[in-house]
Amino acid sequence: IFYPDTLDSRVAICGIVAESTAIEIFNTDHKLFMDVLVSVDLALKLKSHQLIIESSEFTQVEEKEEYYYIPDVRTTPPVLKCEHSALHLLHSTSCPFCHLQVLFAKALLKIKPDSKLIIKNASPVNITTFRAFTSEKQEAVDFEMRYLGEAVEFRVPPEADEAICAAIIQSCHKIMRGKWGCEKYNFAVMCSKDPNPNTPSRLRRMRHLLPNDKLCETCVEKGRLDDKMLGIWNTTLSKDPVKEERKLNGEPITFDDIVYIADKLRNEDTLHKIATKLGFEEGHKDKCFNGIDSWRIPFMMILEWERRIKQRSSKDISEEGASKRVLARSIMEIANSIDDINQKDILETIARKLDMHVTQARKMSLQS
């Protein structure tokens, strides 16, 4: 519906719809259609002073024109790469990213009255750029919000002050507790142990939860203690943390979960792949399973994996705990890597049973 024979290239590339373009598309009913999109958080209405187009490729902003930001109509491919210094909002919501982008745009444009939405060039469908101004020097600071499936990434340059970062955190709290939000969420930065932050976002990343006054040895060796933005995020989240009952730390695996998994894992090759993924060098034939009946191996495999994870996480704070979420992501990664349709369906069913939101992250990672 938003791709008529219009000359306004800003629609499909930037997600920007001028009111004159809306009239061209919807005729006299344009206000009704656009108001409906705004009411369900699929579009954000902008005054001309809230929008800056810095690219000569597109028609510039006209002072008397009103605009709508509709991120979901962009046809540009997503960019799913992470950055070590960026803040990650980890969430368990299944809210479509088009809603989240509009909600964050609405919130972040309220950081200050002069905050703006910035269009610099062709905008990837999962990225929105903002401009805010520091409190003391009123210096312009451009920062990005990137939707990465299981995480929303905020790329904020070191020129930003604590007031801008605090406003971003407050916006996250408000949205996560709102109608499109979720019961569990948390904040983190990537750990330097992650092999390559420039690879596409995937289901499992090495991260440090924030606030955190202690980093692992690898991060210390990489000079992360001198990271200005990490210090600001730590300070800001120490003052305004996630409420304890809302923290996303991962639900523990229950006895019923183990029974369910054991009942489903009847294929020897699939069991071997999972055992290998969970760190057993020889898969389901690892020496720790010697003398155990085959039907008991899934039980022993998960219990031993939990024990090893707890042992490692007590020594290394970058180690993610043994939770339903972690196990679900490992199983979903295996499902993505095999060709057997029947076994793929079984693994996807197990993963969804453990964590219903793991499929959302999988869909985003497949686009990369």
Side-chain angles (χ1 to χ4, degrees):
I1 193 170
F2 276 102
Y3 307 119
D5 294 328
T6 175
L7 296 177
D8 193 347
S9 60
R10 295 174 299 183
V11 177
I13 298 178
C14 308
I16 296 297
V17 179
E19 186 170 29
S20 57
T21 304
I23 293 173
E24 180 184 343
I25 299 171
F26 296 116
N27 299 315
T28 56
D29 295 323
H30 76 280
K31 192 176 187 308
L32 174 62
F33 280 101
M34 300 311 289
D35 284 350
V36 169
L37 293 178
V38 170
S39 69
V40 294
D41 297 317
L42 285 173
L44 175 63
K45 193 171 185 178
L46 300 169
K47 298 290 186 182
S48 59
H49 68 83
Q50 294 179 297
L51 176 64
I52 293 179
I53 296 178
E54 294 186 341
S55 174
S56 58
E57 298 178 30
F58 308 116
T59 306
Q60 298 301 297
V61 175
E62 296 180 15
E63 187 175 343
K64 295 182 180 180
E65 182 86 274
E66 287 191 335
Y67 296 86
Y68 296 88
Y69 179 51
I70 315 177
D72 202 31
V73 301
R74 290 177 289 183
T75 57
T76 48
V79 175
L80 301 174
K81 296 178 180 179
C82 299
E83 185 177 84
H84 270 135
S85 60
L87 176 73
H88 284 187
L89 167 64
L90 309 178
H91 62 90
S92 61
T93 179
S94 57
C95 173
F97 76 100
C98 51
H99 291 298
L100 284 180
Q101 287 198 95
V102 169
L103 288 169
F104 274 110
K106 187 188 300 184
L108 295 173
L109 285 175
K110 293 178 181 177
I111 288 180
K112 288 188 176 181
D114 51 3
S115 297
K116 304 179 188 302
L117 185 73
I118 307 296
I119 303 296
K120 295 186 176 182
N121 41 46
S123 176
V125 68
N126 64 318
I127 298 177
T128 303
T129 304
F130 303 93
R131 177 170 296 168
F133 294 84
T134 57
S135 297
E136 294 185 6
K137 298 182 180 180
Q138 287 297 301
E139 294 178 341
V141 176
D142 291 358
F143 65 92
E144 290 182 354
M145 184 204 80
R146 297 186 172 210
Y147 181 88
L148 302 174
E150 63 175 5
V152 177
E153 182 179 83
F154 295 93
R155 295 194 178 191
V156 183
E159 293 77 26
D161 59 9
E162 192 172 324
I164 292 176
C165 295
I168 292 174
I169 296 298
Q170 290 165 10
S171 299
C172 292
H173 286 319
K174 182 178 180 180
I175 291 168
M176 289 296 102
R177 296 167 187 166
K179 65 178 180 180
W180 293 113
C182 56
E183 292 193 7
K184 303 285 185 179
Y185 66 102
N186 218 331
F187 295 94
V189 290
M190 284 180 59
C191 174
S192 296
K193 287 182 179 178
D194 197 281
N196 187 353
N198 292 318
T199 55
S201 177
R202 57 185 188 276
L203 296 177
R204 174 171 259 155
R205 307 297 312 218
M206 300 287 284
R207 294 187 176 103
H208 293 291
L209 296 179
L210 298 180
N212 189 348
D213 59 359
K214 183 180 178 183
L215 292 175
C216 67
E217 291 182 6
T218 305
C219 283
V220 173
E221 290 172 1
K222 296 288 186 179
R224 299 289 293 281
L225 289 175
D226 299 322
D227 187 331
K228 178 189 173 184
M229 289 311 302
L230 178 56
I232 291 179
W233 292 127
N234 256 327
T235 300
T236 305
L237 283 164
S238 295
K239 297 176 181 177
D240 190 14
V242 180
K243 291 183 178 179
E244 197 64 38
E245 66 273 15
R246 302 295 293 274
K247 285 185 178 179
L248 179 64
N249 288 324
E251 295 179 55
I253 299 166
T254 66
F255 176 75
D256 288 341
D257 294 326
I258 298 176
V259 171
Y260 179 84
I261 294 170
D263 182 58
K264 293 288 184 181
L265 291 182
R266 302 295 181 88
N267 182 281
E268 187 171 328
D269 185 55
T270 302
L271 181 61
H272 180 77
K273 284 184 169 64
I274 291 180
T276 303
K277 183 71 176 177
L278 296 183
F280 298 95
E281 293 183 3
E282 298 178 37
H284 73 297
K285 294 184 178 180
D286 196 89
K287 59 184 178 181
C288 67
F289 303 133
N290 287 347
I292 298 176
D293 293 336
S294 59
W295 67 270
R296 297 177 186 267
I297 290 179
F299 289 88
M300 292 300 299
M301 177 179 69
I302 295 174
L303 292 173
E304 177 62 17
W305 170 74
E306 279 190 303
R307 187 192 67 79
R308 293 181 182 185
I309 289 287
K310 288 177 181 177
Q311 189 176 48
R312 290 202 300 266
S313 60
S314 66
K315 300 177 182 178
D316 185 352
I317 60 173
S318 70
E319 179 74 50
E320 198 169 5
S323 65
K324 290 186 181 185
R325 187 173 177 81
V326 172
L327 183 57
R329 285 182 291 179
S330 294
I331 292 174
M332 187 60 81
E333 285 177 353
I334 297 170
N336 291 340
S337 69
I338 62 177
D339 297 323
D340 188 316
I341 299 300
N342 184 47
Q343 290 304 307
K344 184 186 288 284
D345 288 343
I346 289 173
L347 292 178
E348 288 182 350
T349 301
I350 293 173
R352 284 195 296 269
K353 174 76 172 178
L354 293 169
D355 181 359
M356 64 180 290
H357 301 296
V358 73
T359 51
Q360 179 191 5
R362 172 176 171 260
K363 288 175 182 176
M364 284 298 294
S365 59
L366 286 177
Q367 291 180 29
S368 63

